[in-house]
Amino acid sequence: MRHLFMKLHLWERHLFQWINGRMHNRFLNFWLFYLTHLGGATGAVGINVLLWAFAPQPLRNTALQALVALAISHLPVAVAKKLYPRMRPYLALPGTHTFHNPLKDHSFPSGHTTAIFAATVPYMAAYPALTVILLPLACTVGFSRIYLGLHYPSDVIAGAAIGTSVAAGTLALWI
């Protein structure tokens, strides 16, 4: 079992280094640097607060569901970061490309990825036609976290799973 874990860890490092190193170019540097902020607190909360405050029903209700899912999803992320203190890749792997003022807290799981999935899943459930826009957008935010040297692929996968699960649970329990 330990051998399998080591192989997966090595494979993940190679995948990270390929995304973070070989894929770097000016176009992606620009777009991913800005798109990543959609998963940050200002982007995810701000957009949903505006929709909740100013959109007509039923979009307003969906925005409230997204805000609740966002708030709840922060809890398992905070717990996981304490229980599994994983060093960020740019701190652990020499030669990692990163941008100014990178985060210094723990890497696992990706909070930005959790937030974008928690925020978009209610809209995808309420308006399935939006899935063709929102799912690639959420995946792009997750990808950007690897590209920017802030997370390993498993951090992003865990964040997507947490965000999706919390949003699905929020929708299932919505009265």
Side-chain angles (χ1 to χ4, degrees):
M1 185 64 141
R2 184 178 172 101
H3 180 69
L4 177 62
F5 179 74
M6 295 303 288
K7 274 192 141 174
L8 286 173
H9 180 69
L10 185 61
W11 178 81
E12 180 178 45
R13 279 179 90 167
H14 287 302
L15 179 60
F16 169 82
Q17 289 170 327
W18 183 75
I19 292 170
N20 179 261
R22 290 188 149 189
M23 292 187 75
H24 259 259
N25 64 66
R26 288 177 56 193
F27 177 81
L28 290 178
N29 287 352
F30 176 81
W31 286 105
L32 295 180
F33 177 77
Y34 290 105
L35 285 175
T36 201
H37 296 296
L38 291 174
T42 304
V45 173
I47 291 167
N48 283 292
V49 164
L50 288 172
L51 286 170
W52 176 64
F54 299 112
Q57 287 293 7
L59 186 58
R60 175 181 268 177
N61 190 52
T62 306
L64 183 58
Q65 291 170 333
L67 285 167
V68 169
L70 269 167
I72 294 170
S73 72
H74 180 71
L75 298 172
V77 169
V79 169
K81 283 185 184 276
K82 294 279 188 214
L83 292 176
Y84 306 103
R86 187 180 202 185
M87 189 180 295
R88 290 195 181 264
Y90 80 91
L91 294 170
L93 302 173
T96 298
H97 296 283
T98 193
F99 291 79
H100 44 352
N101 300 325
L103 298 169
K104 291 187 171 49
D105 64 338
H106 298 301
S107 176
F108 182 85
S110 169
H112 280 70
T113 307
T114 301
I116 195 71
F117 276 87
T120 56
V121 165
Y123 294 98
M124 290 188 265
Y127 307 98
L130 288 178
T131 301
V132 298
I133 296 166
L134 295 178
L135 184 57
L137 182 64
C139 291
T140 300
V141 169
F143 177 82
S144 75
R145 306 309 290 166
I146 302 166
Y147 183 88
L148 297 172
L150 300 170
H151 289 285
Y152 293 99
S154 60
D155 301 341
V156 169
I157 292 167
I162 292 169
T164 300
S165 299
V166 169
T170 300
L171 295 175
L173 296 173
W174 199 262
I175 297 173

